[in-house]
Amino acid sequence: MPIRVMLVDDQALLRTGFRMVLDAQPDMEVVAEAGDGEEALRLLAGARADVVLMDVRMPRMDGVEATRRVCEEPGAPKVLILTTFDLDEYAFSALRAGASGFMLKDVPPGDLLAAIRAVHIGDAVVAPSTTRRLLDRFAPMLPGAPDERSRAREEELARLTTREREVMVLVAQGLSNGEIAARLVLSEATVKTHVGRILTKLGLRDRVQVVVLAYETGLVRAGGLG
């Protein structure tokens, strides 16, 4: 079955370009297009999608709020954010809202296709080190007082074993499984198992969300460890 993709962008010409690239792939199918977040949510009710390519700066409802609403639903499609500028504060907000990563709009077609395939199988398409750099820049803009969601997340961290917390911190620092294995003197397979358990226990989709959660709960802080 082909990967079902929804395109959400207020620029019709850009959507047309993406559609041409995606429809030329034997394993992809564009199932819907929307010009803003409100339209995207409405169409998703009837058009089942696996991956949503979501612009962030749109009228009526921007991509951040749309991403948050999409990701709240059970069995939600994966969201891949499209942004014009690297280290965009909108991309930061979208990652916190549940997006699995972000790509620049001028990304080469081959990279975009690889990103869609990666997101579809559950991988993140932004390196944790890049996400950490993004969060280092914008984390100081977060409200000082923890909200109910972040407090609940802190309680969830208590489910992790000491070793899993160690692995989570290193993931948030941007280390790969191989680097974590070397740091903790473990096999790479063992590290992969720990990462999988962290994702399951905390209800996270990928390593990007691990990094975001580490910042939200203060496990890792901008510029260093918490």
Side-chain angles (χ1 to χ4, degrees):
M1 179 181 294
I3 302 171
R4 296 164 295 194
V5 182
M6 170 181 274
L7 304 176
V8 185
D9 196 294
D10 61 340
Q11 298 181 46
L13 186 60
L14 193 62
R15 295 200 309 269
T16 298
F18 283 146
R19 175 183 280 275
M20 290 176 62
V21 172
L22 270 56
D23 281 345
Q25 307 305 307
D27 62 337
M28 294 185 189
E29 175 188 7
V30 176
V31 295
E33 294 185 28
D36 59 63
E38 285 188 6
E39 186 180 9
L41 293 175
R42 187 171 65 253
L43 291 176
L44 275 175
R48 183 169 174 80
D50 301 308
V51 178
V52 178
L53 292 185
M54 182 82 74
D55 187 19
V56 285
R57 306 190 188 200
M58 297 180 291
R60 295 206 297 173
M61 181 187 294
D62 65 25
V64 176
E65 179 61 23
T67 295
R68 182 176 294 107
R69 296 195 187 186
V70 167
C71 293
E72 286 176 347
E73 297 297 321
K78 305 297 175 59
V79 178
L80 181 58
I81 293 295
L82 298 173
T83 181
T84 305
F85 303 104
D86 193 11
L87 294 185
D88 190 325
E89 69 273 15
Y90 285 85
F92 160 72
S93 299
L95 290 175
R96 294 188 71 221
S100 295
F102 68 91
M103 301 288 289
L104 296 179
K105 285 189 176 181
D106 61 356
V107 62
D111 291 351
L112 177 64
L113 296 172
I116 293 171
R117 294 183 180 109
V119 165
H120 180 243
I121 64 173
D123 288 341
V125 298
V126 181
S129 56
T130 303
T131 306
R132 187 169 187 271
R133 185 162 53 94
L134 183 75
L135 289 166
D136 274 345
R137 176 170 175 179
F138 294 110
M141 300 178 185
L142 292 173
D147 56 19
E148 290 186 8
R149 180 174 179 271
S150 63
R151 282 194 293 267
R153 285 304 204 183
E154 289 174 5
E155 293 176 1
E156 290 177 5
L157 290 181
R159 303 176 187 173
L160 303 181
T161 65
T162 299
R163 177 62 85 187
E164 287 166 353
R165 287 176 71 95
E166 290 176 338
V167 170
M168 182 172 178
V169 168
L170 295 176
V171 168
Q173 288 181 284
L175 275 64
S176 67
N177 285 353
E179 291 168 334
I180 294 172
R183 180 77 62 89
L184 299 180
V185 194
L186 299 170
S187 71
E188 193 166 340
T190 298
V191 172
K192 185 176 181 180
T193 297
H194 282 312
V195 172
R197 287 175 178 167
I198 291 167
L199 296 176
T200 299
K201 287 183 177 182
L202 300 180
L204 303 176
R205 292 188 178 193
D206 50 50
R207 296 170 73 98
V208 168
Q209 292 190 359
V210 171
V211 181
V212 173
L213 178 58
Y215 273 77
E216 286 185 328
T217 57
L219 189 63
V220 171
R221 299 189 186 279
L225 300 182

